[in-house]
């Protein structure tokens, strides 16, 4: 591939930036998730095209985690390679997140939320991504066994060490989120953002008061799996499973989910989208972005064509 020169109009071609809660950070309305599509089986140049396209269109926020791949760690390694090949000169234009909390290495310290696990995992992530620091470091999930204060103090110390600029909370229940907001704010490391699954098929953060809690306390909110892993796109409208789709892998998205009721709902929403001149994906993403307190949607994309459609939702 040729040397990368980003599109000069990357900040003027329509992407809307939104303030993340009450912080100084602006995030693009559409951000790029690296959970799938950046594994060892994915072609590097194909992935590089997706990331270049994203950055060229104002997607400054890249969301990774220690375990993204497969194999775990591979997405971060790819980020490290892209840093070397394309992105290093633009490091200060990028807002890069990583996380720890799911199983990453064998034994009792490669999982969950202990200080030991979080600290070691972030050091590994920085090496893989060839970075000195991440912009945002998340506790990836709630750990019912580790004292919350231990996990939270590790986040405070990670910021103090300069290894992360901000911290975030992912998938914690409301009662624990409240503890986190208080603990971190009292130590001058207020959490920047909460990451939760919110989409037209799964409205839990709205219904359980997470979104409201974030809004009332100055945290941003970013929605993961905003397209329900592809269900809220035109991929499954016929009720069949396309080759090479996430459902065809049968790991995180299963064929049994395509019930007649779901298909009827998806086709109904698709008709509403079409009447507005939108794709179902754009319609679904815009629905999320209209919810009070939402900062950004974290889309996955297995091709530039998909990303192109999704980006429209974040543009005026
Ligand atoms: N905090 C957490 O615990 C957590 C959990 C899950 C995800 N996340 C984050 O959220 C990000 C997004 O999650 P996700 O990948 O599930 O998001 P998603 O946007 O709901 O689904 C992405 C998948 O949908 C399909 N797709 C996307 N746009 C499409 C379009 N325009 N037309 C047709 N199909 C389209 C593609 O699947 P095909 O492969 O079928 O093409 C794509 O890989 C992750 O990468 C990760 O960063 C965080």
């Amino acid at each position: 591939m040729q040397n990368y020169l980003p599109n000069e109009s990357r900040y003027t071609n329509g992407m809307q930036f939104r303030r993340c809660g009450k912080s100084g950070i602006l995030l693009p309305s559409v951000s790029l998730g690296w959970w799938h599509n950046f594994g060892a089986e994915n072609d590097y140049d194909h992935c590089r095209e997706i990331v270049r396209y994203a950055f060229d269109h104002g997607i400054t926020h890249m969301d990774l985690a220690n375990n993204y791949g497969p194999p775990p760690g591979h997405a971060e390694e790819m980020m490290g390679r892209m840093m070397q090949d394309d992105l290093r000169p633009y490091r200060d234009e990028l807002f890069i997140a990583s996380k720890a909390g799911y199983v990453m290495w064998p034994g009792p310290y490669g999982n969950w939320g202990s200080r030991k696990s979080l600290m070691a995992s972030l050091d590994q992530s920085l090496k893989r991504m060839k970075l000195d620091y991440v912009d945002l470091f998340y506790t990836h999930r709630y750990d019912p066994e580790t004292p919350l204060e231990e996990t939270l103090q590790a986040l405070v110390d990670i910021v103090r060490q300069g290894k992360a600029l901000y911290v975030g909370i992912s998938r914690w229940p409301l009662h624990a989120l409240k503890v986190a907001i208080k603990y971190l704010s009292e130590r001058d490391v207020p959490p920047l953002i909460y990451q939760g699954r919110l989409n037209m098929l799964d409205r839990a953060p709205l219904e359980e008061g997470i979104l409201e809690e974030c809004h009332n306390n100055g945290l941003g909110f970013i929605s993961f799996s905003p397209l329900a892993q592809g269900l809220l796109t035109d991929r499954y409208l016929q009720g069949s499973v396309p080759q090479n789709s996430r459902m065809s892998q049968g790991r995180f998205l299963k064929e049994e989910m395509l019930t007649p009721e779901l298909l009827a709902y998806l086709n109904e929403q698709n008709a509403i989208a079409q009447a507005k001149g939108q794709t179902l994906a754009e319609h679904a993403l815009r629905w999320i972005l209209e919810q009070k307190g939402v900062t950004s949607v974290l889309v996955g994309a297995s091709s530039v064509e998909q990303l192109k459609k999704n980006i429209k939702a974040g543009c005026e």
Side-chain angles (χ1 to χ4, degrees):
M1 268 193 172
Q2 293 185 330
N3 283 348
Y4 177 51
L5 274 182
N7 189 340
E8 285 186 4
S9 60
R10 60 192 175 279
Y11 297 117
T12 52
N13 56 15
M15 176 59 74
Q16 295 299 297
F17 282 77
R18 293 177 166 201
R19 186 160 301 279
C20 189
K22 290 204 176 113
S23 76
I25 289 300
L26 298 176
L27 292 180
S29 309
V30 174
S31 303
L32 184 65
W34 290 53
W35 174 33
H36 283 254
N37 310 312
F38 295 91
E41 76 275 17
N42 299 105
D43 176 63
Y44 175 66
D45 282 340
H46 179 78
C47 298
R48 206 171 161 191
E49 262 180 57
I50 293 174
V51 173
R52 284 180 173 197
Y53 188 88
F55 188 56
D56 279 341
H57 292 81
I59 297 189
T60 53
H61 181 31
M62 307 288 166
D63 183 78
L64 293 96
N66 57 355
N67 61 335
Y68 290 175
H74 197 276
E76 289 186 332
E77 278 169 18
M78 238 195 224
M79 170 57 92
R81 197 169 160 194
M82 287 187 210
M83 267 290 141
Q84 255 173 348
D85 290 346
D86 293 335
L87 299 176
R88 178 78 62 211
Y90 310 102
R91 173 66 185 98
D92 293 340
E93 291 186 44
L94 287 164
F95 201 80
I96 300 175
S98 190
K99 319 183 188 80
Y102 283 94
V103 64
M104 189 57 199
W105 64 88
Y109 316 121
N111 200 354
W112 297 105
S114 71
R115 177 182 184 84
K116 165 83 175 164
S117 188
L118 263 51
M119 292 268 176
S121 179
L122 178 54
D123 284 346
Q124 293 178 14
S125 293
L126 292 174
K127 280 201 193 99
R128 283 191 289 266
M129 293 193 281
K130 300 190 182 2
L131 297 176
D132 300 326
Y133 69 93
V134 288
D135 298 281
L136 172 60
F137 182 67
Y138 284 97
T139 141
H140 205 162
R141 63 169 160 172
Y142 172 65
D143 176 352
E145 302 288 333
T146 299
L148 292 183
E149 292 74 12
E150 177 175 334
T151 305
L152 295 167
Q153 187 59 42
L155 296 183
V156 170
D157 293 339
I158 278 167
V159 170
R160 303 256 195 271
Q161 290 172 347
K163 291 178 182 173
L165 302 184
Y166 300 90
V167 296
I169 306 289
S170 163
R171 315 183 83 141
W172 283 31
L174 184 60
H175 69 90
L177 173 63
K178 288 183 177 182
V179 175
I181 293 172
K182 184 167 186 297
Y183 189 97
L184 294 170
S185 302
E186 284 174 359
R187 284 153 187 83
D188 297 327
V189 184
L192 180 75
I193 196 162
Y194 182 96
Q195 187 171 136
R197 181 168 46 227
L198 173 65
N199 60 51
M200 285 169 63
L201 299 174
D202 185 349
R203 305 181 182 198
L206 254 180
E207 290 161 3
E208 291 168 5
I210 296 271
L211 209 48
E212 194 181 358
E213 184 71 14
C214 290
H215 182 69
N216 290 344
N217 288 281
L219 278 76
F221 179 96
I222 191 160
S223 148
F224 75 74
S225 297
L227 298 170
Q229 301 197 55
L231 289 175
L232 288 162
T233 71
D234 56 12
R235 219 141 168 48
Y236 304 101
L237 288 176
Q238 319 304 328
S240 53
V241 181
Q243 272 193 338
N244 300 323
S245 61
R246 192 174 295 183
M247 193 174 280
S248 72
Q249 297 164 5
R251 288 173 64 220
F252 295 96
L253 202 55
K254 306 238 189 271
E255 195 171 350
E256 304 86 86
M257 293 169 83
L258 287 183
T259 58
E261 294 75 27
L262 179 68
L263 282 170
Y265 176 77
L266 295 178
N267 278 286
E268 186 187 301
Q269 290 301 321
N270 188 46
I272 295 172
Q274 282 184 339
K276 292 191 289 186
Q278 296 174 356
T279 60
L280 176 54
E282 186 184 349
H283 169 65
L285 296 174
R286 283 187 187 270
W287 178 85
I288 301 170
L289 288 166
E290 279 164 14
Q291 305 305 316
K292 189 170 158 194
V294 170
T295 314
S296 182
V297 289
L298 203 39
V299 301
S302 63
S303 66
V304 165
E305 290 66 37
Q306 289 182 357
L307 188 58
K308 202 184 264 187
K309 288 182 189 159
N310 301 346
I311 281 177
K312 277 193 175 176
C315 296
E316 287 232 300

